[in-house]
């Protein structure tokens, strides 16, 4: 057994840090220390999960430690690129919360840093990497259960929780826009399931339809994607109704040449309990499939990539392309 990878955390402004850290611990990594600016609303939840993890006084104290292998980033989205670059130049690999960056200039700087340092810049797209139903869907697609995937429809509704959000959440330049932020999940899934390495944004729009008191907030967004492998439609929003027993009815629909798969990731409004609902229909099967044991292989694969300098968890070019398309869609929508 090799020594456990050691992890430092920079920024806990988004709840995704809970899963990022916990899943790396599950695959044998060791948390060393953490830093965040101020006292974000996520701090109580973080301390509940990791009560004995020491906090340090500055981000540099995490990034520059010689005994840390991987930096987890979940601070304010606009700050993540500079933090990732600092970490990579300090000899660390990086797992960022989405979005990994918020401008094309930031993305270009990250690409240059990866080329210069040879470090890994990975993004935990949690709507794929932390959902067992997506793991099982990927296995079914690889087995040929629905033929070749030619279209994805991904929807990412979220509950707004207006009164609990920090100030930066309502500042366009800080959160990056709804398409750069939330829709990066669905772009990731489109590229992955269709096997596309590039795509064109053919339609993109955003709007603020229900929150006039926060004009910088975008509460609705949509994207249409086209590649040489397939088509994709994406809808993201902040309109989850209060009665839904989940933060959002996130779904993914895969159209294949020989069948379909639908994922109801977090809730089944049809009445079935729990999450991770997968429905498969092809020439011989029409069934709901239990996904609870499908696992979350991204985290173990990333740990192996760090040790072996491989790209099994997610190709580096894929992370770059997802963020490029998300930011270009955001720019198109706002043009």
């Amino acid at each position: 057994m090799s020594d456990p990878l050691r992890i430092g955390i920079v920024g806990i402004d988004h709840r995704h840090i809970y899963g990022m850290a916990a899943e790396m611990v599950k695959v044998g990594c060791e948390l060393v220390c953490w830093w965040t600016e101020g006292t974000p609303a996520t701090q109580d939840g973080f301390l509940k999960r990791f009560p004995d993890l020491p906090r340090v006084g500055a981000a540099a104290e995490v990034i520059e430690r010689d005994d840390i292998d991987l930096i987890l980033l979940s601070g304010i989205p606009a700050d993540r690129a500079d933090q990732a670059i600092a970490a990579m130049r300090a000899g660390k690999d990086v797992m960022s919360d989405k979005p990994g960056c918020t401008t094309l200039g930031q993305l270009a700087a990250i690409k240059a840093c990866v080329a210069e340092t040879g470090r890994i810049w990975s993004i935990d797209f949690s709507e794929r990497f932390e959902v067992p139903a997506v793991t099982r869907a990927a296995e079914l697609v690889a087995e040929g259960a629905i033929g070749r995937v030619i279209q994805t429809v991904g929807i990412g509704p979220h509950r707004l929780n207006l009164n609990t959000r920090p100030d930066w959440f309502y500042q366009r330049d800080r959160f990056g826009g709804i398409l750069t932020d939330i829709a990066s999940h669905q772009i990731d899934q489109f590229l992955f399931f269709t096997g596309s390495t590039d795509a064109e944004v053919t339609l993109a729009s955003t709007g603020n339809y229900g929150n006039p008191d926060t004009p910088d907030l975008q509460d609705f967004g949509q994207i249409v994607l086209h590649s040489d492998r397939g088509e994709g439609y994406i809808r993201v929003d902040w309109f989850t109704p209060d009665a839904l027993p989940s933060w959002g009815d996130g779904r993914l629909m895969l159209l294949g040449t020989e069948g379909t798969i639908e994922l109801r990731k977090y809730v089944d409004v049809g009445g079935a309990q729990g999450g991770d609902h997968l429905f498969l229909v092809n020439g011989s099967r029409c069934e709901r499939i239990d996904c609870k044991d499908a696992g979350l292989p991204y985290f173990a694969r990333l740990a192996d990539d760090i040790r072996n300098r491989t790209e099994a968890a997610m190709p580096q070019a894929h992370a770059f392309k997802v963020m490029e398309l998300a930011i270009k869609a955001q720019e198109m929508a706002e043009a």
Side-chain angles (χ1 to χ4, degrees):
M1 293 288 290
S2 59
D3 292 336
L5 295 176
R6 290 169 62 83
I7 293 174
I9 297 171
V10 174
I12 63 165
D13 294 84
H14 197 294
R15 290 170 56 89
H16 286 164
I17 193 59
Y18 305 159
M20 293 163 64
E23 293 300 330
M24 292 307 292
V25 169
K26 286 180 184 178
V27 300
C29 299
E30 179 182 337
L31 301 180
V32 176
C33 60
W34 67 284
W35 170 87
T36 203
E37 186 170 356
T39 309
T42 53
Q43 184 165 307
D44 286 346
F46 184 83
L47 293 175
K48 180 178 179 180
R49 291 163 174 80
F50 310 106
D52 300 321
L53 188 64
R55 180 177 185 173
V56 300
E61 293 183 48
V62 182
I63 289 170
E64 295 174 6
R65 282 185 61 146
D66 292 335
D67 60 344
I68 285 177
D69 305 292
L70 174 66
I71 299 291
L72 306 186
L73 302 176
S74 192
I76 296 170
D79 296 339
R80 293 173 192 165
D82 285 346
Q83 292 165 345
I85 289 168
M88 289 188 283
R89 287 180 175 160
K92 313 299 192 293
D93 294 310
V94 172
M95 181 210 289
S96 177
D97 189 5
K98 61 80 208 164
C101 54
T102 58
T103 70
L104 291 176
Q106 289 181 351
L107 179 60
I110 289 170
K111 287 182 177 181
C113 187
V114 169
E116 169 195 337
T117 64
R119 308 316 303 181
I120 294 168
W121 181 69
S122 192
I123 302 173
D124 176 15
F125 292 113
S126 57
E127 293 190 27
R128 175 158 68 105
F129 294 140
E130 296 188 32
V131 178
V134 182
T135 302
R136 187 68 186 111
E139 294 168 349
L140 288 165
V141 169
E143 293 164 6
I146 60 170
R148 186 170 72 83
V149 176
I150 57 172
Q151 192 210 24
T152 67
V153 176
I155 61 171
H158 286 60
R159 179 172 285 119
L160 184 55
N161 294 324
L162 188 69
N163 296 326
T164 68
R165 299 290 180 175
D167 290 344
W168 62 260
F169 180 82
Y170 302 105
Q171 299 167 7
R172 163 64 182 82
D173 290 343
R174 302 297 281 151
F175 74 84
I178 193 171
L179 301 182
T180 298
D181 182 15
I182 301 177
S184 60
H185 284 301
Q186 285 73 31
I187 295 171
D188 161 68
Q189 291 164 86
F190 164 79
L191 294 175
F192 174 75
F193 278 107
T194 62
S196 300
T197 57
D198 199 0
E200 176 188 3
V201 180
T202 61
L203 178 150
S205 65
T206 62
N208 183 331
Y209 296 107
N211 295 277
D213 294 336
T214 52
D216 263 12
L217 175 69
Q218 298 162 352
D219 55 26
F220 177 88
Q222 62 179 344
I223 302 173
V224 175
L225 295 168
H226 167 78
S227 80
D228 61 355
R229 300 280 299 174
E231 312 292 332
Y233 175 75
I234 294 164
R235 190 204 87 210
V236 290
D237 66 74
W238 289 102
F239 287 111
T240 292
D242 287 344
L244 192 78
S246 171
W247 55 264
D249 185 8
R251 301 195 193 190
L252 176 66
M253 285 141 275
L254 308 177
L255 172 63
T257 55
E258 299 174 24
T260 63
I261 289 173
E262 179 186 347
L263 304 182
R264 301 181 186 180
K265 297 180 181 181
Y266 311 110
V267 63
D268 178 15
V269 294
Q273 295 299 306
D276 290 297
H277 306 277
L278 186 153
F279 304 88
L280 169 67
V281 182
N282 61 18
S284 60
R285 302 166 68 182
C286 180
E287 59 187 286
R288 179 197 298 262
I289 295 177
D290 184 356
C291 303
K292 66 177 181 294
D293 297 325
L296 304 174
Y298 165 79
F299 301 95
R301 290 172 181 169
L302 181 62
D304 288 342
D305 287 342
I306 291 168
R307 293 188 177 99
N308 303 320
R309 313 317 295 169
T310 50
E311 297 187 9
M314 177 171 57
Q316 185 63 79
H318 177 90
F320 292 153
K321 184 57 65 175
V322 173
M323 290 317 309
E324 175 192 329
L325 291 171
I327 295 167
K328 284 183 174 180
Q330 189 72 47
E331 291 182 346
M332 178 185 290
E334 295 175 347

